[in-house]
Every structure is written in structure tokens, then in C-alpha cells.
Amino acid sequence: MNREPSPPLTLRSATSLVTLLIASVLFLAPIVWMMATSWKPEAQAASETIRLFADPVADTPAAAKENYSAVWNDVTIRFPIYLRNTLIVALLSVVGMVLSSAVVAYGFARVQWRGRSALFTLVLATMMIPFPVLMTPLFVLFAKIGWIGTLRPLWVPAWFGAAFNIFLLRQFYMGIPRELDEAARIDGCSHWGIFWRIILPLSRPALAVVALFHFMYVWNDFLAPMVFVQHQDMFTLALGLQLYQSKAGNTPWNLLMAASTMVMAPVLLLFMATQRTFVKGLTGGASKE
Amino acid sequence: MKFRMKDEFVGLTWVSPWIVGFLAFLLIPAGMSLYFSFTDYPLLESPVWVGLGNYKRLLSDEVFHKALVNTFIYAGAAIPLSVLLAVVLAALLNTKGLRWTRFFEAAIFMPTLAPLVASSMVWMWILNGRFGLLNQFLGLLHISGPNWLLREGWAMAALVIVALWGVGQAVILCVAALKEVPEQLYEAANLDGMGPVRQFINVTLPMISPVILFNTITMLIGAFQVFVVPYVLFQKDKGGPNKSGYFYTSYLYDNAFVYGQMGYASALAWVQLLIILLLTGLLFLASRRLVFYRGA
């Protein structure tokens, strides 16, 4: 991007600017408030005045350190283990999701065959089926093969692709010039060769988007882990956080907010680092023909 | 071309991972669920055929009716407000000559990324009647805020507020659609002497109507699945004041995994799917008059 000088503010853009500033404050307030509460001492967490920092302000770092280490080192709710589980699921399912969706998308974008568009419509139609509709039979199925209480139900299905990601990658492949395939084919490349040597390397940005989206999905997912993972040792962070809140009953707010911040911060930082790629990926599928 | 002969075989091989996953994790489970829905199936025993028994029971189940009505009220309030808010925010973000757009986009979008359990807990704290940020803020304006999570009507209002907070994705899609509207259309509208409001109604809205439809359908599917936020917010009093925070998926979950009634839960699941398909179909029908597709 080349840097352009900021255009002059007109009355209209100034009005939009002010409105959006107010809106941003409202949208960010819950997140800011969460962090603010997480670095206050317990006695000040619930107070009837709005304050961002501990009183006196100099106490803030010490209170923050105390709260976060209290959460991290809790004896019954073991966040380090939940973090490990979440990372295992995230790694296994992100790799599986990217690979399988990339392969399947190739079949829909670059191989000509009868029934292709009908099957692709079916792929898209599966996006309409909500998870709650399937969770009961999936539980029965996973129970029959002994997967309940393991992490497998959370990552194995990712190795079979997902409609949205297949769609996203197919759109991206369609934008890669076909002449490249033809040239490779003349050089004696098979479909696999074309996929591996041409399509995959050129699709890195789109693959990154799929990885990013799926990582966020795994990190945030709550219902599937709650249904399929029943051993506390196998909990993911989202589940552990809920347990932390419900078990202790009277857990002080400052600790609850410190725990929430810990679970929320990684995805928010990841988003800030990848905002442009992320937004492009979100709208990319829609804006290309 | 040398691939011609076995094209079908080659194509199916490439998409076979999806086909296997579709069978194993969607079609077969869906078939099982259809069968279970005609049985009495306590988790630890074998299913026993009861015909339409579960579906008949739905007709007279008052908890089901309450959960269904709540879900419709929630969807009926949250969807139109979210769709509207998304268009307004997107139009603001698309103002010519605006600065700091990347910051605004991030601020509006970030809430949708936060894990729902974490953000629900934050909202529980914000909606706290005495110490919550919302009522403290209202206090500054000399309004005495209600005890959001403990009063029947306010509990639903609170859930709608949380839903509006998560409008970011719809906003991003609307912004992308607004950027695609050809500049000539506005020039022509200017020549016709249209003011900004009429331009918005006669040019902008029709041009972005496919995205508005898309947002509405996504939100519809989402609203009928609402689970985590009420689950966390109303955990202590099981579904909120007078069950006003108890929704379709909450009841489905409880039947399957708390009461161990897999058969009844499966009937609930199928009815849920039918409701979603029916409403989506109706939206598509209604949209034929309202949505404008370029090139159509």
C-alpha cells in the first residue's frame, strides 16, 4: 500500500468519525472493563464507581500479578493442562482442515467431471445444518467407538474438510490462471503434481486464512467439547473457564476476569496481527465472482 | 486430453475426503437421529420403537413451548436490530474521506472473536445490577438501571444487547458490498437530483440487498442455536427468571445429556432443523421481490 495524505475532513466524514468513535468505545468497553477488573485487588473489583486502575494506581501491577498467578496456579482448575489440550486439538485439527480442504477444493475447481456442480451444491447445503441437530447421534456414535472422554471427536472430523473452507479455497483456485496448469500438463505433470507444485504454493494466503479461521473456531468452541469431552483432564480452555466460574460459586470477580482475559487475549492478539488477511478472507469468497 | 476416460473416478477421488466425512459425521448421524426420534432411548439402554410418541409429546410439553416462544422472541428482536445496525455501521465506515477505518473495523469486529464463554462471563459482570458497568454508566445519566439478569423482560433485553455486540461479521460483509457499488450509479442519482437519503434507499440498499439477505439467514441459523450465552448467564437459576433465558438448544441439550432422553432430544433436533429450513425457505421466497441481483 502506498501512503496517501489523509483527505480533508468534510462535515459528513467528521460526523461519521465521531459516531464511530462512540460506537467503538461501546464495542470495546466490555473488553476493556474485563481487563481493568482483572488487575484490581479483590476489595476494589466490585465498587460503585467506574475506575480503570487500582487505587492507588501504583498498586495495579502487583494486583495484576497476584490475580493472574492465582488463576494459573489454581489447584483444582488446572489451566496449564487445559491450555495443553487446546493446543493439541488446535494443532491436529488445523493441519487436517487445511490439507483436506485444499485437496477437496482442487477436485471441485480443477478436475472436470460429471456431477461436480451437483455435489458442490450439496457441500454448500451442509452449511445450513446446525451442530445441535447432530450432537445427539454423534455422541452415540462416538460412545460406540470409545471416543467419548478423549480429544478425538474434536479433531478427527477436521481431517475431512469443512464446507466453508472448501468453498473459500475453491474460489481462490478459480482465480489462478489455467494456463499454468496447461503448461505443467504439457511438461508431463499429473493432477497431483499440478496441485502440489503449482496450486498449493500459489494458494498460501488462502491456506493461511483457513488455518487462521479454524484455529479461532477450535479455540472458541464450547458446545462440542462440553458434549464429547467428559474427563476434566481432557478439558479445553473454554470448558475450563466455565468450570472455574461454576465450581467456585463465589469466585471473586477480579479472578474471573483475569481468567477470561487469559482465554480471550490470544485470539484478539492473533486478530490484531493478521487483521488485513483476516478481513480479506472473510469477504474474499463473496467479492470474487 | 489424457484424463478424459476416467474423469468421474479422478474427480471423486479428489473430493473423497469430504464424501467420507459427510457420510460419517453428517448423513449417518442424521439417519440415526431420525430413527432415534421415533424411539424411547434412555442413554444406557437400547432404543424402543414408540412411533410418533415423541412428536406427540412435543405438542403438550409446556417447557418446550416456553423454549420455542423464547427462541422466536429472541430471533424476532435480535435479527432485525442486528441487520439494521450492521447496515448503519457499514454505511458510516464507508463514508468518503473517513480516517482510522482500520481501528473502527477492529473495534467492531473484535467482540465476535472472543470465546463466547469468556465474553458471557464479562457480560454477566457488566449486567450485574449493583456493580455492573452498564448500570454504573446509566447512573451517570441519572437513570437507575434494572437488575438485568434477575427480571423477566430485562433478561431477554440483555441477551439482545449481547447479540448486537456480536454484529461485527455482518458489518464487515456489508462494508465489502458497499465498496462494490459502482460509482456511476451515484453520479447518475446525483444528476437526477436525489438527496443522500433517497440515494441510500434507491441505490445503496438494492445493491447490497444480497448481503443483507445473507446476513439475515446466517443470523437466523445462529439465533436458533443460541446456547452458550444464556447457559453461562443464567446458570445459577437454571434458565433465568421464570425460564425467560431458556432456549430451544438449551432444552435439546438438557434432554439429551442431562435427562438422558436421546429419543426425545432427537425429535427436538429434527423439528429444529425443519423450522430453520422452513424459515430460510420463506426468507428466500420473500426476498425474490426484495433482493436485487446484478446481471439477473
Side-chain angles (χ1 to χ4, degrees):
Chain A
M1 286 291 280
N2 50 336
R3 287 191 171 273
E4 298 163 27
S6 300
L9 276 181
T10 58
L11 179 63
R12 202 161 149 213
S13 64
T15 318
S16 295
L17 191 81
V18 173
T19 319
L20 283 167
L21 267 177
I22 297 170
S24 301
V25 170
L26 294 177
F27 275 92
L28 289 178
I31 297 172
V32 172
W33 189 239
M34 166 189 76
M35 286 196 263
T37 308
S38 81
W39 55 54
K40 283 179 195 161
E42 185 181 342
Q44 291 176 26
S47 103
E48 291 182 29
T49 48
I50 300 177
R51 288 185 61 97
L52 271 188
F53 296 99
D55 182 23
V57 176
D59 286 354
T60 307
K65 198 175 163 226
E66 194 174 313
N67 293 344
Y68 283 92
S69 73
V71 171
W72 185 250
N73 299 318
D74 193 282
V75 209
T76 46
I77 311 295
R78 291 175 298 165
F79 281 104
I81 291 185
Y82 308 149
L83 175 64
R84 186 202 64 187
N85 293 338
T86 308
L87 290 176
I88 292 174
V89 174
L91 182 73
L92 288 172
S93 69
V94 166
V95 171
M97 180 58 75
V98 171
L99 284 177
S100 58
S101 300
V103 168
V104 173
Y106 184 90
F108 283 120
R110 280 301 204 262
V111 188
Q112 299 285 351
W113 45 288
R114 253 184 306 159
R116 184 176 80 164
S117 58
L119 200 66
F120 190 64
T121 312
L122 184 63
V123 172
L124 295 184
T126 61
M127 281 200 270
M128 298 263 311
I129 311 226
F131 173 74
V133 168
L134 294 170
M135 67 186 178
T136 312
L138 280 174
F139 177 85
V140 173
L141 201 71
F142 291 140
K144 286 217 161 90
I145 52 178
W147 282 12
I148 297 300
T150 73
L151 293 176
R152 268 168 257 165
L154 303 183
W155 64 264
V156 174
W159 284 77
F160 299 92
F164 180 74
N165 297 326
I166 294 170
F167 171 73
L168 202 78
L169 289 174
R170 176 184 171 271
Q171 296 297 98
F172 192 87
Y173 294 172
M174 305 279 249
I176 299 176
R178 281 202 170 254
E179 292 77 43
L180 293 175
D181 299 33
E182 300 296 331
R185 199 168 296 173
I186 292 164
D187 288 348
C189 256
S190 60
H191 270 305
W192 182 256
I194 295 172
F195 173 69
W196 194 250
R197 299 219 187 98
I198 295 172
I199 302 289
L200 267 196
L202 287 176
S203 305
R204 264 188 231 129
L207 298 172
V209 168
V210 170
L212 196 62
F213 281 179
H214 195 63
F215 177 82
M216 300 250 182
Y217 173 80
V218 171
W219 190 273
N220 293 349
D221 194 15
F222 177 71
L223 191 51
M226 181 158 92
V227 170
F228 300 134
V229 179
Q230 307 200 323
H231 289 298
Q232 214 179 301
D233 288 348
M234 292 287 136
F235 271 18
T236 57
L237 278 173
L239 273 184
L241 180 60
Q242 198 270 325
L243 186 67
Y244 188 64
Q245 178 234 337
S246 64
K247 201 171 189 175
N250 294 320
T251 309
W253 281 107
N254 54 337
L255 295 190
L256 278 181
M257 291 302 109
S260 301
T261 308
M262 276 182 359
V263 177
M264 211 185 269
V267 274
L268 296 190
L269 291 174
L270 189 61
F271 169 70
M272 286 190 235
T274 58
Q275 188 180 346
R276 194 161 287 166
T277 322
F278 201 100
V279 171
K280 240 188 224 161
L282 202 65
T283 55
S287 63
K288 265 183 217 152
E289 289 296 279
Chain B
M1 296 221 179
K2 48 186 170 182
F3 301 108
R4 267 276 163 253
M5 277 306 287
K6 39 191 173 80
D7 281 347
E8 273 70 49
F9 178 74
V10 175
L12 284 171
T13 310
W14 279 93
V15 302
S16 60
W18 181 81
I19 295 178
V20 173
F22 172 72
L23 293 176
F25 303 117
L26 206 149
L27 198 63
I28 292 173
M32 286 164 67
S33 154
L34 186 61
Y35 166 66
F36 295 159
S37 77
F38 296 109
T39 66
D40 187 12
Y41 185 12
L43 191 48
L44 299 172
E45 295 160 39
S46 302
V48 176
W49 186 263
V50 292
L52 286 173
N54 288 323
Y55 292 95
K56 281 188 191 136
R57 188 176 142 197
L58 285 174
L59 295 176
S60 55
D61 180 347
E62 278 174 21
V63 184
F64 168 68
H65 296 164
K66 180 87 188 177
L68 186 67
V69 169
N70 282 342
T71 308
F72 270 99
I73 295 175
Y74 172 76
I79 297 173
L81 288 174
S82 303
V83 169
L84 191 71
L85 182 65
V87 172
V88 170
L89 287 173
L92 289 172
L93 279 167
N94 199 43
T95 314
K96 233 180 279 170
L98 182 71
R99 291 169 200 184
W100 307 335
T101 19
R102 247 165 76 85
F103 165 74
F104 294 138
E105 254 178 24
I108 293 168
F109 190 67
M110 270 208 273
T112 67
L113 293 172
L116 274 180
V117 182
S119 42
S120 306
M121 278 172 48
V122 176
W123 275 103
M124 204 160 121
W125 179 216
I126 288 175
L127 296 165
N128 183 293
R130 261 186 79 196
F131 305 112
L133 184 63
L134 184 56
N135 281 359
Q136 290 190 5
F137 177 73
L138 291 174
L140 293 180
L141 307 173
H142 301 287
I143 301 168
S144 135
N147 210 331
W148 294 90
L149 300 177
L150 302 175
R151 305 286 298 278
E152 191 164 353
W154 292 112
M156 183 64 84
L159 286 166
V160 173
I161 293 176
V162 179
L164 288 175
W165 185 64
V167 79
Q169 182 161 339
V171 176
I172 301 282
L173 294 180
C174 276
V175 171
L178 285 172
K179 286 194 178 132
E180 303 264 301
V181 181
E183 195 58 33
Q184 304 94 286
L185 289 180
Y186 292 113
E187 284 160 17
N190 267 332
L191 286 180
D192 284 353
M194 279 193 205
V197 175
R198 279 191 57 210
Q199 281 189 23
F200 191 77
I201 294 170
N202 292 337
V203 179
T204 312
L205 276 185
M207 292 306 286
I208 65 168
S209 54
V211 169
I212 295 179
L213 176 67
F214 178 83
N215 282 341
T216 312
I217 290 174
T218 321
M219 287 174 190
L220 181 81
I221 298 175
F224 272 83
Q225 292 182 64
V226 64
F227 176 80
V228 180
V229 180
Y231 181 83
V232 175
L233 285 185
F234 303 117
Q235 201 163 35
K236 281 181 186 133
D237 46 358
K238 296 268 177 260
N242 192 21
K243 291 254 179 225
S244 60
Y246 197 64
F247 291 90
Y248 201 110
T249 305
S250 327
Y251 193 48
L252 202 171
Y253 177 86
D254 280 348
N255 268 293
F257 304 108
V258 180
Y259 316 141
Q261 303 186 338
M262 306 302 257
Y264 194 50
S266 299
L268 279 166
W270 272 91
V271 171
Q272 182 178 25
L273 184 61
L274 290 180
I275 293 175
I276 290 176
L277 292 180
L278 191 75
L279 290 178
T280 312
L282 285 177
L283 266 178
F284 267 113
L285 275 183
S287 73
R288 280 211 295 215
R289 287 163 165 273
L290 297 171
V291 174
F292 170 81
Y293 291 101
R294 243 187 294 180

